[in-house]
Amino acid sequence: MTVERRGWRIRALKLWLPLGFFMIFNLFPFYWMAVTSLKPNSELYSRKIMPLVVYHPTLEHFVKLLTETDFITWTYNTMLVAVVSTAISLVFGVMLAYPLARMKFPGAALISFAVAATYLVPQPLLFIPLADIINKLGLGDTLTSVILTYPTLLVPFCAWLLMGYFKSVPHELEDAARIDGATRLQTMFRIFLPLCIPGFISAGIFAFTLAQNEFLYALIFLTKTDVRTVPVGAIAELVRGDVFYWGQLMAAALLGSIPVAIIYSFFVEHYVAGLTSGGVKA
Amino acid sequence: MSAHSQAIGSRVLRPRPAFSLRRWTEREGVFSWLMVIPPALFLVALVGYPFVYGIWLSLENRPVAKPGVFVGLANFITDLHDPVFWQVAQNTFVYTFAATALKMAGGLALALVMNQDFKFRNLVRAIMLLPFIVPTVLSTIAWMWILDPSFSVVNWFLVHWGIANPGPSWLGNPNLAMFSLIMVNTWRGLPFYAITLLAGLQTISPELYEAATIDGASTFARFRYITAPLLKPVIFIVTMFSVIFTFSDFQLVYVLTRGGPANATHLFATYAFDVAMSGGQFGLGASIALSMLPPLALLIAGMAWYMRGEKT
C-alpha cells in the first residue's frame, strides 16, 4: 500500500505536474484571446479588476469587427488563396514525387536534391527580388500574386512528404496493371494514387495551415484592403498609428484561428503523421 | 490449324512503326521527365530565378521604381561599415541560439513527459500542437497584448503579488524585448520539437530499456546510453529546421517590436525589409538579406559535420 501511494506521488511529479505546466504555457494565449475579445472596453482598460475573468461579457467587438472592417473579405481571401495554392501544390507535388519515388531516370538525384534545397531556402532571402518581379508583372495587389508565390513554399514540402508516402506503397498492384496493358498514366491515376489518399490528406492539411500562416509575401504584395488576408488585415488596419483596437484585434485573432483549428481537429492524426515524417523517417 | 498459325505469323510480321509517340512516352525515363518538368520549371521561375535576381540586385544601387546602376560590392561594403548591421548580426545569433536551445530542452522534456502512458494522451498531444498550427501573426497579436506596456496581464500579477511595481516594460527595454521575443518564439516552436521527438521516442524498442534495467542501469544511464544516441538523428533534423527558420524569422519581430527599441531586436529579415521596403533601397536590402546565407550555410555545415563525426 505504501508502494502504491509512493507510485501515485511519483506519477504526479513526473507526469501531471510538468504536463500541467506545459498545458498552461501553451494554451494561456488562446484563453487570453478569448477572454479579451469578450470584455467591454471598461474592463479591458482597467488596471484594478482581476483580468482573468469577464464580468460583463459582450459581443460588441465581434459585431464591430464584422460590420466596420473588411474582416469577412479578408477571411474569404485567406481561404481562397489557401485552398487554391494547396491544390496547385498537391498536383505539382505528385508530379515530382511519383517519378522520384517510383521510377529510375537519369537526373533523379539532381531533382531530389534541388527539391530539398528549395525547401530550405528561407523566404526572407527571396522577398525583395520577388517584390520587384511581381511589380514588373503588374500583379501587385492581386490575389494571383500570392497564389503564384505560396506554392513555392508548399510544393517542395508536399513533394518531400508524398515521396516518403509513395515509397511505402508496395509495387505489386502497379506491376499487375502494367502487365495487363495499362499505360503509365492509367496505372498512376487508377491504381496508384487512390492508394495514397492518406498521404494527400497529410500533405494537404499541412500545406493548408502553412498557406494560412504566410505573412511576409502577403504583407508586401497586398496593400489594398479588399485583397488582404486575415493576418495582414489585422496588423495593418486594426492598428491605426499608436491606437490598438485590442478587443477587435483579439476577436480577429480568435476568428482567424478557428478555421485552421477546426480543420486540424478533424485530421490531427494525418497532420501529426505529416509533421513527423520529415524528421523521423529521413 | 495452318490458317491459325498463319494468322499469328502475319501479326508478328506486321512492320512496327519506327517511332511511336505513345511508346516513347511509356519509357520510364521519358515519362518521368515529362512529369517532373512542369513543377521543376515552376520552381526555377519562382525560386531559382528570384534567387539569382536577388544576387544581381545586391550588386546594384537601386532605388525603388528606378533603373539600377551596377555598383559591384559597394552595398556589402556599406553593410560592413554599418554599426546597425553588426548589431543585427549579433541579435540574430543570440535569438537563434537562445530560442533553439530553449526549444530543444523544453521539447525534449515535454516529449519525455508525454512518452508515459496516460489517459487522453492523443487529445493532449493534439492540444499541445495548437501554438504551432494557429497562424503565427494572430497568436503573436495575443502575445503583444499579454506584454502590453500598460495593461500586461503578467504585470498585473507582478503588481498584485507585490513582486514589482510598476511591472517591467516587456517590449520597451532592449534586453527584455529580446528576452520576450525568445520566449514567444519558444512558445510557438516547442510543440514541433516535442511532437517530432515524441514520434522518435516511440520508435525506440522497449526491449532495449528492459535489457538495460535488468543489467542495473539507472534512469539517467538509460537516457544517456539508449535514448540520447537513438534520438540524435531526429534531433538533428528538427534542429536544422529550427535554426533555419529562427535565423530567418520575420513575423514575430515585425508584429511585436518592429526591430525596436533602438534596433535591439532587429534581425536580418526585418532589417532587410526596413531598408528595402520602408527605405526604398532595394539593392542594399537585397545585400542584407543575402548576408544571411553564409552564416546559415556555416551553421548547417557545422551541424552536419558534427553529426558525421559522431557516427564514425
Side-chain angles (χ1 to χ4, degrees):
Chain A
M1 193 175 148
T2 45
V3 172
E4 221 167 73
R5 276 183 63 190
R6 226 182 118 234
W8 180 85
R9 266 188 214 160
I10 285 178
R11 197 162 162 79
L13 204 66
K14 277 172 68 177
L15 177 65
W16 299 115
L17 198 72
L19 206 59
F21 166 78
F22 278 115
M23 282 290 246
I24 292 173
F25 178 60
N26 274 5
L27 295 184
F28 179 75
F30 299 114
Y31 174 74
W32 195 229
M33 239 184 231
V35 163
T36 307
S37 67
L38 292 171
K39 280 183 186 174
N41 276 337
S42 56
E43 278 182 43
L44 214 50
Y45 301 115
S46 155
R47 273 184 251 195
K48 300 255 165 58
I49 54 174
M50 164 75 180
L52 288 186
V53 285
V54 192
Y55 295 94
H56 306 284
T58 165
L59 289 176
E60 164 197 4
H61 300 303
F62 288 95
V63 173
K64 277 194 176 161
L65 180 74
L66 297 178
T67 54
E68 290 176 18
T69 72
D70 291 310
F71 186 81
I72 293 172
T73 314
W74 303 337
T75 307
Y76 172 79
N77 292 342
T78 312
M79 287 295 153
L80 180 77
V81 168
V83 168
V84 176
S85 50
T86 300
I88 295 175
S89 307
L90 281 179
V91 172
F92 278 171
V94 168
M95 291 170 85
L96 283 169
Y98 185 67
L100 285 175
R102 306 300 275 190
M103 294 175 182
K104 290 194 185 79
F105 61 100
L110 177 78
I111 294 281
S112 65
F113 173 78
V115 169
T118 338
Y119 187 17
L120 296 180
V121 170
Q123 250 180 307
L125 213 57
L126 300 179
F127 75 91
I128 296 171
L130 269 178
D132 202 46
I133 293 167
I134 292 289
N135 262 336
K136 279 185 184 154
L137 293 174
L139 291 174
D141 287 327
T142 63
L143 290 180
T144 316
S145 66
V146 281
I147 289 175
L148 268 180
T149 46
Y150 284 8
T152 61
L153 315 169
L154 312 179
V155 168
F157 166 77
C158 286
W160 195 348
L161 200 155
L162 289 175
M163 254 165 80
Y165 195 88
F166 287 177
K167 277 181 186 158
S168 69
V169 177
H171 279 275
E172 281 79 5
L173 281 169
E174 280 168 284
D175 291 345
R178 292 285 293 154
I179 289 165
D180 288 348
T183 64
R184 289 197 187 274
L185 219 51
Q186 282 170 333
T187 314
M188 187 179 115
F189 275 113
R190 302 230 180 117
I191 309 294
F192 185 74
L193 295 185
L195 290 173
C196 301
I197 290 177
F200 292 128
I201 299 177
S202 287
I205 295 297
F206 215 101
F208 183 79
T209 56
L210 280 179
Q212 294 255 329
N213 185 34
E214 207 290 327
F215 178 65
L216 182 53
Y217 291 164
L219 177 72
I220 294 170
F221 303 155
L222 310 174
T223 56
K224 291 200 182 120
T225 182
D226 56 332
V227 288
R228 279 184 160 141
T229 59
V230 172
V232 181
I235 284 294
E237 301 193 27
L238 297 178
V239 181
R240 298 181 193 110
D242 280 345
V243 185
F244 290 75
Y245 293 80
W246 282 115
Q248 290 181 40
L249 270 169
M250 291 298 128
L254 197 66
L255 290 183
S257 309
I258 283 173
V260 195
I262 289 175
I263 291 172
Y264 162 76
S265 71
F266 280 119
F267 299 104
V268 181
E269 290 310 313
H270 287 101
Y271 185 87
V272 173
L275 182 73
T276 51
S277 71
V280 181
K281 280 186 202 150
Chain B
M1 191 176 155
S2 68
H4 189 78
S5 62
Q6 213 174 8
I8 291 173
S10 73
R11 203 176 284 172
V12 170
L13 283 177
R14 197 171 61 192
R16 283 165 59 128
F19 178 81
S20 141
L21 184 68
R22 205 192 133 180
R23 206 158 358 101
W24 186 68
T25 56
E26 284 298 293
R27 281 163 58 180
E28 205 167 341
V30 176
F31 178 82
S32 299
W33 273 104
L34 286 177
M35 291 280 279
V36 164
I37 281 173
L41 279 182
F42 174 81
L43 289 179
V44 166
L46 286 169
V47 179
Y49 172 65
F51 181 74
V52 176
Y53 185 52
I55 296 177
W56 176 248
L57 272 180
S58 74
L59 303 173
E60 282 191 331
N61 177 15
R62 194 169 177 297
V64 87
K66 278 183 196 152
V69 180
F70 184 82
V71 291
L73 293 174
N75 287 326
F76 290 96
I77 292 166
T78 313
D79 290 335
L80 294 181
H81 290 104
D82 176 7
V84 180
F85 178 84
W86 289 106
Q87 174 158 25
V88 163
Q90 191 195 331
N91 292 342
T92 311
F93 274 94
V94 169
Y95 181 68
T96 306
F97 278 114
T100 304
L102 278 175
K103 279 184 270 191
M104 195 192 293
L108 186 60
L110 181 53
L112 287 171
V113 168
M114 288 184 58
N115 199 30
Q116 306 171 75
D117 270 322
F118 58 93
K119 263 189 184 173
F120 307 118
R121 186 162 78 172
N122 284 351
L123 182 70
V124 170
R125 188 179 63 175
I127 294 172
M128 285 286 185
L129 260 175
L130 269 180
F132 191 69
I133 61 134
V134 164
T136 313
V137 167
L138 301 180
S139 57
T140 309
I141 292 174
W143 276 101
M144 187 164 50
W145 177 228
I146 291 175
L147 303 170
D148 187 80
S150 321
F151 302 101
S152 162
V153 58
V154 182
N155 286 0
W156 189 89
F157 280 101
L158 293 182
V159 171
H160 190 73
W161 290 333
I163 297 169
N165 195 8
S169 169
W170 292 104
L171 300 173
N173 168 301
N175 292 328
L176 272 182
M178 183 50 94
F179 172 80
S180 305
L181 281 176
I182 291 167
M183 288 315 290
V184 178
N185 182 284
T186 304
W187 174 81
R188 196 194 117 76
L190 198 146
F192 172 63
Y193 253 100
I195 301 304
T196 314
L197 294 187
L198 179 62
L201 282 175
Q202 286 171 345
T203 61
I204 299 176
S205 159
E207 285 158 23
L208 290 172
Y209 293 110
E210 281 162 22
T213 312
I214 290 166
D215 289 347
S218 66
T219 312
F220 176 76
R222 273 177 281 160
F223 178 81
R224 171 73 185 77
Y225 295 105
I226 299 174
T227 315
L230 288 174
L231 216 50
K232 210 165 228 168
V234 185
I235 294 180
F236 172 73
I237 300 271
V238 183
T239 306
M240 191 173 74
F241 279 106
S242 172
V243 164
I244 292 173
F245 292 109
T246 312
F247 198 89
S248 62
D249 197 7
F250 174 84
Q251 308 192 359
L252 276 185
V253 179
Y254 183 83
V255 174
L256 280 178
T257 63
R258 304 255 161 134
N263 301 320
T265 56
H266 250 321
L267 306 180
F268 278 116
T270 50
Y271 190 49
F273 177 88
D274 259 15
V275 170
M277 298 298 150
S278 317
Q281 291 175 288
F282 267 46
L284 197 59
S287 76
I288 295 166
L290 266 182
S291 308
M292 277 193 298
L293 209 51
L296 206 49
L298 274 180
L299 276 178
I300 291 167
M303 281 165 56
W305 179 79
Y306 173 77
M307 279 301 288
R308 221 167 153 189
E310 284 294 313
K311 262 182 212 161
T312 50

